[in-house]
Amino acid sequence: MTTLTLVKKTSFTVASLATTMLLSICTPVRAFMFGTAGIQFDEDTNINFTFDQSHGAYQSSLWVAQAQSGNTGYTNIARLFYETKPSDNGSANDWQGSFGNAVTSENRSITQTFKFLQDQTYALLLWSDSGTGQPLEQYASSSTFMNSPEWFAANTQYRRDDCLVAGCQQAVFGDFNLDYNSRDSFTSVNGGKGPEQYSLLTMAQLAQGTKISFDDAGGGNDVDFQDFTLSAQLAPTPVNGLAFRNFTVSAQSVPEAVPGPVPGPVPGPVPEPVPEPVPEPVTVFGTMMGIGAVAAARRKKKRGQQR
């Protein structure tokens, strides 16, 4: 190989590698996110939401909303949970609401499953009546991209740019602490960690199950993030007809073994015919000599009779 050919080949290899790297950088990558930036999956994904408890005098409902093209608006897709009254028992326990008393769902189940479609952007919206009894009057969003001046509850004075939290974060995600018997701030309850440190979830956290909690911007926007609390977890995925619960096979979902037919007697091998013995070469030679001797004797006897 000449030096010129080697240089050309090396240059082509380097150019091909550079092109591959450039294409890999420019090719859009499907993003997974679950937090204050929104909710998005790279494939259709079912999430189980389980209600925990609500607090505060506002009467609220939690919705899944889907962003419209260009994030210019949103559409309420599904109502997960809603309060039928502000609390279980007036102002007791900071206006606590529990499922089956003040809180319910469309199918009366404490766990709701929602399918997030591939590459679509969603958010969780907490709608509140702000104490007036008028539903859908104002909302607190789990996603900061919805907390711009354009995202507001129509026909009300409530806008997300009025919130006092940096970045208008109105929900926290993950392994955080809540103290319903304390007036301390969320940051104090969590050892100095502010809400911004609980702004997103990983797939591992979703697989294990984790918390989400809202601040409804009421009470002077006290940012205690304990007004509406629930958990989120990846729904079991059926595999070959078996439903997996927390990634272990449910005993009830495993089919019983079906007994097979009892085997009959197995016939033995058919004996092969015994081959006839092959005479040894010496034996064959001797036999031929004997036959020759007999023939010579007969010829000699015949000549004697003719005389």
Side-chain angles (χ1 to χ4, degrees):
M1 181 182 297
T2 65
T3 304
L4 179 59
T5 304
L6 179 60
V7 170
K8 287 183 177 180
K9 187 174 182 180
T10 304
S11 300
F12 177 77
T13 303
V14 173
S16 300
L17 179 60
T19 302
T20 302
M21 295 176 61
L22 181 61
L23 289 175
S24 63
I25 294 173
C26 297
T27 301
V29 178
R30 294 175 183 172
F32 157 77
M33 58 182 178
F34 201 114
T36 57
I39 299 174
Q40 188 176 25
F41 292 93
D42 56 10
E43 62 182 357
D44 291 357
T45 303
N46 290 326
I47 298 293
N48 287 340
F49 295 99
T50 302
F51 182 79
D52 182 12
Q53 56 189 296
S54 66
H55 289 269
Y58 286 5
Q59 187 170 321
S60 303
S61 59
L62 182 64
W63 293 74
V64 175
Q66 183 175 355
Q68 296 173 358
S69 178
N71 291 339
T72 56
Y74 68 92
T75 302
N76 282 321
I77 300 297
R79 182 170 64 169
L80 299 178
F81 306 102
Y82 63 97
E83 291 181 305
T84 57
K85 54 184 180 179
S87 66
D88 293 343
N89 185 24
S91 61
N93 299 319
D94 191 22
W95 299 85
Q96 179 176 343
S98 59
F99 194 87
N101 192 333
V103 183
T104 188
S105 63
E106 304 293 348
N107 60 2
R108 305 295 187 267
S109 174
I110 195 171
T111 297
Q112 299 296 305
T113 302
F114 183 83
K115 177 185 285 187
F116 293 93
L117 300 181
Q118 174 183 321
D119 297 335
Q120 299 297 313
T121 304
Y122 300 86
L124 298 175
L125 295 183
L126 184 70
W127 285 93
S128 301
D129 67 0
S130 69
T132 65
Q134 299 296 322
L136 304 183
E137 183 177 22
Q138 67 177 38
Y139 73 73
S141 172
S142 65
S143 300
T144 53
F145 80 89
M146 296 181 67
N147 290 333
S148 66
E150 290 76 24
W151 294 76
F152 61 95
N155 302 321
T156 72
Q157 76 284 354
Y158 186 80
R159 291 174 178 266
R160 296 297 338 130
D161 58 343
D162 295 333
C163 70
L164 303 180
V165 183
C168 294
Q169 183 176 343
Q170 298 300 131
V172 286
F173 304 79
D175 187 20
F176 51 80
N177 297 316
L178 297 176
D179 188 350
Y180 298 104
N181 299 315
S182 173
R183 291 294 179 181
D184 291 339
S185 67
F186 177 88
T187 303
S188 298
V189 171
N190 284 277
K193 294 182 179 179
E196 67 279 356
Q197 298 189 49
Y198 300 94
S199 61
L200 57 88
L201 297 176
T202 65
M203 284 296 289
Q205 288 175 299
L206 278 176
Q208 184 178 2
T210 189
K211 291 185 297 183
I212 304 171
S213 195
F214 287 81
D215 188 277
D216 60 13
N221 205 9
D222 52 12
V223 295
D224 55 9
F225 293 95
Q226 57 179 230
D227 295 318
F228 209 95
T229 306
L230 64 153
S231 65
Q233 186 174 22
L234 283 173
T237 302
V239 178
N240 295 331
L242 299 180
F244 282 72
R245 300 180 182 276
N246 296 330
F247 302 101
T248 58
V249 181
S250 171
Q252 295 180 352
S253 65
V254 180
E256 296 181 359
V258 179
V262 179
V266 180
V270 179
E272 298 181 358
V274 179
E276 295 183 1
V278 179
E280 296 287 339
V282 177
T283 304
V284 174
F285 179 71
T287 302
M288 294 177 64
M289 290 183 64
I291 294 174
V294 171
R298 286 181 178 179
R299 287 194 300 271
K300 183 176 181 181
K301 182 178 180 181
K302 186 175 181 180
R303 284 195 300 267
Q305 291 175 352
Q306 290 176 353
R307 289 177 183 174

